[in-house]
Amino acid sequence: MKVTAVFDIGRTNKKYVLFNEKYDIVHEFSESLPETVDEDGFPTEDCDLLTKWVQDRWAELLANPEFDIKAVNVAGYGASLVHLDAANRPLTPLYSYLKPFPEELLKEFYSTYGDPTRISLQTGSPAMGMLNSGMQLYWLKHTKPEIYSQIATTLHLPQYILYLLTGRKVSDYTSLGCHTALWSFEMWDYHEWVKQEAIHKKLAPVLASSSFIYRHGDKGIQSGFGLHDSSSALIPYRMAVKKPFVLLSTGTWCINFNSFASKPLTSYQLERDCMNYLTPEGSGVTASRLFLGREHDYQVARIVEYFKVDPDFYKKVAFDEEILKQDTPKFYTACMTGNGPFPEPNTQEWQVSAFASAEAAYHHLLKGLTELLFVSLNLVNINDVHAIYVDGGFARNEIFTKLLARHYPNHKVYVSDLPYATSLGAALHVTRPQTYEFANEIREIKP
């Protein structure tokens, strides 16, 4: 069977997925690998274990007589770097983007390169410490110069996995453009601070094409260059939908992508958790973030505790118009200080006790969350498009999707059931079909 193989490397699960020529999944394998700690005792990905896992799985796939691998690509999480020495061995642990960034070094950086807001606006990257992967290189250069001097090539994680598969070292736009603080959306090049530090010289070259031919013995396999996972998940929609739309990628975070609005950020957007991404081709994507899933889970736990109901009760709650008409206390968030459209610290607590039932409280929780979402969507110019697609966990939430459709009666609102949108995007990008259409995965929600 002719297949496209995609290695999809998440923080929790490492998997590969095989697609046939119709982009149906024909085989998948998923595994969770134990973490390790870096030299400071901070938890992080075990780079050695991940390297062996990828190499072993790839060798097994290539040797499997059931499959004829015609193409391969990688999707992986961002803000993570692998630094290779002259012998192409990793020099350091795969430092976690959750690792705290030293305050004194941050002050030194901004005293050298100027106003944090200006740099954030130019790079489309809110200041997020190690989550700005460019700052990881700055940190390494200034705190571990003896190691930094040994770096021959630095790769973002998706491109390191690609290197393990094909031996090719590249950089790609999606990894450079995901809140790295490396890329200037004004100059469409590496930011000036990157050049002054000569950090760009450590990074592998960016190639304009979307694929190359990897030789495995006598066999030629079409290979992509690896993709940042969030950007990869956007690809099926960009290929199948011809008119401008916004994609809500929902989960712990709700990230709202408008790939039809690519202007540099304003200060107003930056202060309300907006950022810029890059498509694989290098064009801009404006996005806003909301800690939707985390806030939802926190408040559901409070409802469960107060009403003594099953923790999964909310999965069975049907939309009820009458409940939403009731007067209720104002909704206050607990998990959104420093993020989202209202990042100011919140000292008030939402009154779960004001409701007569868990079902009533849950309806009004979703009402409060979607009202925040509408503000977040306005930040990415939702009214400039005519369609909204919802992907991920909240696509299966009837109350959420109904409230969204009612608030935007002039938009088409669709929910999708693409369980492997990230893997599918990577497969589509490397094989480049002339056309791609959704099968039965998309359903319209009526107001």
Side-chain angles (χ1 to χ4, degrees):
M1 183 188 294
K2 294 178 181 178
V3 296
T4 296
V6 174
F7 280 76
D8 188 340
I9 308 300
R11 285 273 301 174
T12 305
N13 292 316
K14 323 301 172 192
K15 63 175 175 275
Y16 66 75
V17 184
L18 303 184
F19 294 90
N20 66 14
E21 292 175 291
K22 294 181 179 178
Y23 298 99
D24 299 320
I25 295 172
V26 294
H27 183 64
E28 60 174 300
F29 178 84
S30 179
E31 197 169 353
S32 181
L33 302 179
E35 285 190 326
T36 185
V37 294
D38 63 21
E39 66 270 18
D40 299 320
F42 198 86
T44 191
E45 186 86 66
D46 189 327
C47 192
D48 291 340
L49 192 61
L50 178 60
T51 296
K52 187 175 187 314
W53 185 90
V54 170
Q55 290 172 330
D56 289 351
R57 300 293 84 74
W58 185 222
E60 289 168 8
L61 280 174
L62 289 170
N64 191 329
E66 288 183 52
F67 303 115
D68 178 12
I69 299 174
K70 291 296 186 183
V72 66
N73 207 355
V74 176
Y77 62 87
S80 302
L81 302 174
V82 179
H83 312 285
L84 302 177
D85 65 15
N88 295 318
R89 292 184 301 252
L91 271 165
T92 71
L94 206 169
Y95 294 111
S96 170
Y97 55 65
L98 299 174
K99 188 179 175 76
F101 196 92
E103 281 295 325
E104 285 305 311
L105 190 62
L106 204 59
K107 289 177 185 174
E108 180 184 309
F109 175 83
Y110 288 120
S111 68
T112 305
Y113 294 109
D115 179 50
T117 300
R118 181 182 63 83
I119 293 174
S120 291
L121 289 172
Q122 290 168 341
T123 60
S125 307
M128 297 186 287
M130 288 287 204
L131 262 166
N132 303 132
S133 57
M135 296 301 289
Q136 295 180 29
L137 270 165
Y138 182 85
W139 167 75
L140 207 55
K141 180 179 178 180
H142 290 272
T143 62
K144 303 177 190 293
E146 69 290 347
I147 292 175
Y148 182 84
S149 66
Q150 297 176 55
I151 298 174
T153 311
T154 290
L155 299 172
H156 278 88
L157 180 60
Q159 286 67 50
Y160 174 64
I161 304 301
L162 183 86
Y163 165 71
L164 296 176
L165 302 177
T166 68
R168 190 78 177 264
K169 289 184 279 190
V170 298
S171 292
D172 105 293
Y173 284 117
T174 65
S175 290
L176 288 174
C178 68
H179 52 74
T180 62
L182 289 167
W183 193 257
S184 169
F185 284 81
E186 290 182 346
M187 304 304 295
W188 232 252
D189 193 0
Y190 287 114
H191 193 275
E192 195 56 39
W193 83 261
V194 177
K195 293 180 178 179
Q196 287 191 40
E197 291 283 339
I199 278 174
H200 63 300
K201 294 180 179 179
K202 298 290 188 183
L203 298 165
V206 184
L207 301 184
S209 60
S210 62
S211 66
F212 65 96
I213 301 300
Y214 158 63
R215 308 302 306 187
H216 177 68
D218 296 333
K219 182 180 176 62
I221 299 175
Q222 193 173 1
S223 172
F225 292 133
L227 297 161
H228 174 238
D229 52 10
S230 296
S231 301
S232 186
L234 186 57
I235 290 171
Y237 298 91
R238 283 175 58 88
M239 292 190 73
V241 183
K242 303 308 176 192
K243 293 183 178 179
F245 65 91
V246 165
L247 172 65
L248 278 60
S249 179
T250 68
T252 301
W253 286 98
C254 177
I255 304 180
N256 312 303
F257 295 100
N258 186 346
S259 57
F260 303 88
S262 57
K263 295 176 183 176
L265 295 180
T266 64
S267 297
Y268 186 81
Q269 287 173 307
L270 182 71
E271 290 163 4
R272 286 155 182 81
D273 219 355
C274 292
M275 60 192 70
N276 283 336
Y277 286 75
L278 287 172
T279 67
E281 297 75 30
S283 58
V285 177
T286 301
S288 61
R289 294 194 314 169
L290 191 68
F291 215 3
L292 193 72
R294 178 72 188 92
E295 185 72 41
H296 172 275
D297 292 351
Y298 177 86
Q299 300 293 0
V300 164
R302 293 184 64 219
I303 295 170
V304 166
E305 183 181 2
Y306 183 80
F307 290 101
K308 309 298 183 201
V309 292
D310 181 83
D312 290 334
F313 85 95
Y314 66 93
K315 295 178 182 177
K316 307 179 192 74
V317 178
F319 182 84
D320 188 327
E321 180 84 51
E322 293 306 311
I323 289 178
L324 288 170
K325 291 178 181 176
Q326 298 167 6
D327 286 335
T328 60
K330 180 176 167 58
F331 179 69
Y332 293 102
T333 63
C335 307
M336 295 191 186
T337 298
N339 61 72
F342 301 108
E344 300 80 13
N346 185 13
T347 56
Q348 304 251 39
E349 186 175 74
W350 182 49
Q351 297 175 37
V352 174
S353 59
F355 298 95
S357 68
E359 289 74 18
Y362 188 68
H363 271 74
H364 286 276
L365 167 61
L366 268 294
K367 184 182 178 186
L369 289 175
T370 51
E371 285 172 353
L372 291 170
L373 174 65
F374 303 149
V375 178
S376 196
L377 287 172
N378 286 339
L379 293 167
V380 294
N381 304 319
I382 188 70
N383 291 318
D384 291 348
V385 305
H386 302 290
I388 300 168
Y389 288 81
V390 185
D391 181 270
F394 281 88
R396 296 183 288 276
N397 189 305
E398 182 193 15
I399 303 172
F400 177 88
T401 55
K402 275 281 190 187
L403 289 170
L404 186 65
R406 287 179 172 214
H407 189 77
Y408 295 105
N410 298 323
H411 290 68
K412 296 277 191 182
V413 176
Y414 301 94
V415 296
S416 76
D417 183 24
L418 286 173
Y420 293 110
T422 298
S423 301
L424 176 60
L428 288 168
H429 191 253
V430 66
T431 53
R432 309 301 290 181
Q434 288 189 334
T435 61
Y436 171 72
E437 295 179 359
F438 295 124
N440 301 313
E441 301 97 345
I442 303 297
R443 178 168 56 90
E444 186 176 356
I445 302 296
K446 298 294 185 183

